[in-house]
Amino acid sequence: MECPFCTGQSRDDAWVCCHCGRDLKLPQPLVEEHQELVAKLAELKAEVERLRDELKRGPRRAGWGAGWTALFARK
Ligand SMILES: [Zn+2]
């Protein structure tokens, strides 16, 4: 049988995957939920990466720039 987690082949009567060691006898809804969570985790990791990148670049210069322009425009 094919492991739903790593797609490795294990014996049909195996209880755990011989490749990743995960439980092959989990009910299908649980497996689907697991895959959904893994996908969400990847999404969140990408989001964290993006926010970290933004923080590295410092405060939003565009925002500050617009603020200063407005201040000087008044004088
Ligand atoms: Zn596996």
Side-chain angles (χ1 to χ4, degrees), residues 2-10 16-24:
E2 188 175 284
C3 170
F5 301 105
C6 71
T7 68
Q9 291 295 326
S10 289
V16 290
C17 174
C18 62
H19 299 280
C20 66
R22 276 189 265 206
D23 203 334
L24 293 174

Side-chain angles (χ1 to χ4, degrees), residues 58-70:
R60 286 175 193 221
R61 277 163 211 241
W64 277 102
W68 284 110
T69 307

Side-chain angles (χ1 to χ4, degrees), residues 39-55:
K40 265 195 193 139
L41 186 66
E43 243 171 66
L44 287 172
K45 274 187 182 163
E47 176 81 4
V48 166
E49 249 349 272
R50 196 182 61 74
L51 289 172
R52 260 197 206 139
D53 229 45
E54 217 165 90
L55 277 178

